[in-house]
């Protein structure tokens, strides 16, 4: 695509939050390399627009702390195992992005210097200024916090202008549109409505943190080819969560 055809966006720096399950494709567990590459190309297309990109990827495709805890494992240990799963996903995405020529850094909240950088805010900001994609891994480094909360925390620390939550559906609905044909789509909704209606956008801590810092959350479909790029250009269907 030539420069003349590149869509314009008002966003300069954004956070992309995706679940670990998004990397599974049609598999039931783990990573599906073609799906990882497809999502990497979505990120590359936005990077080519000149947007600075942060990412947080969940770990549910490998291990989910809450599920481990529910099966009798001690919650703190289970959560740390979930954090390690996010590092594995981050490394897979880094490999896919760099194979496309997009420079990338995996930044971990748990020190593992041989495979990822430790989280140092000013260093991470400098990476973004140099147009490197920053993938924040290992959540917040603390148990009892989800990757949704980690994404919102890092988005605020990095002065992102919005969180883009990539899902399987094109926004927020009053009920699951995959199982209810009469589900109603919300083009816009407030943080308080999300909380009061118990809508599954992000967990309550993440929503409250976004609300307190006036950080918009844009929910869109990551399944739609070119969707991430299109939403940044103001095209397509999505939901904007704001005040």
């Amino acid at each position: 695509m030539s420069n003349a055809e590149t869509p314009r966006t008002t966003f300069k720096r954004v956070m992309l939050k995706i679940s670990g399950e998004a990397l599974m494709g049609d598999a039931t567990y783990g990573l599906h390399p073609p799906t990882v590459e497809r999502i990497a190309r979505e990120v590359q297309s936005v990077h080519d627009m000149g947007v600075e990109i942060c990412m947080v990827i969940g770990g549910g495709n490998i291990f989910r702390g809450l599920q481990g805890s529910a099966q009798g494992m001690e919650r703190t240990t289970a959560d740390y195992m979930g954090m390690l799963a996010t590092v594995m996903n981050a490394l897979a995405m880094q490999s896919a992005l760099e194979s496309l020529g997009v420079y990338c850094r995996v930044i971990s909240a748990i020190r593992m210097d041989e495979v990822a950088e430790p989280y140092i805010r000013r260093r991470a900001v400098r990476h973004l200024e140099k147009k490197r994609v920053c993938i924040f891994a290992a959540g917040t480094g603390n148990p009892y916090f989800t990757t949704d909360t980690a994404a919102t925390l890092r988005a605020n620390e990095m002065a992102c202008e919005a969180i883009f939550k990539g899902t399987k559906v094109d926004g927020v609905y009053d009920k699951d549109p995959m199982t209810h044909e009469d589900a109603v789509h919300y083009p816009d909704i407030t943080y308080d409505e999300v909380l009061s209606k118990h809508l599954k956008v992000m967990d309550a801590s993440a929503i409250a943190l976004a609300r307190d810092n006036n950080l918009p959350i844009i929910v869109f479909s990551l399944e739609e080819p070119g969707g991430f790029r299109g939403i940044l250009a103001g095209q397509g269907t999505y939901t904007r969560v704001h005040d």
Side-chain angles (χ1 to χ4, degrees), residues 128-178:
L128 292 170
E129 291 171 347
K130 291 182 177 180
K131 305 304 180 185
R132 297 166 182 159
V133 174
C134 287
I135 307 177
F136 296 103
T140 66
N142 301 288
Y144 296 94
F145 289 93
T146 67
T147 50
D148 281 345
T149 301
T152 310
L153 174 65
R154 296 294 184 235
N156 281 304
E157 290 180 302
M158 295 297 106
C160 292
E161 295 162 296
I163 298 174
F164 284 76
K165 176 76 181 286
T167 70
K168 292 184 177 181
V169 295
D170 57 358
V172 179
Y173 289 78
D174 65 337
K175 61 187 81 171
D176 187 352
M178 308 290 280

Side-chain angles (χ1 to χ4, degrees), residues 44 47 96-103:
Q44 178 196 33
H47 184 266
L97 284 167
E98 292 190 339
S99 73
L100 298 173
V102 178
Y103 291 107

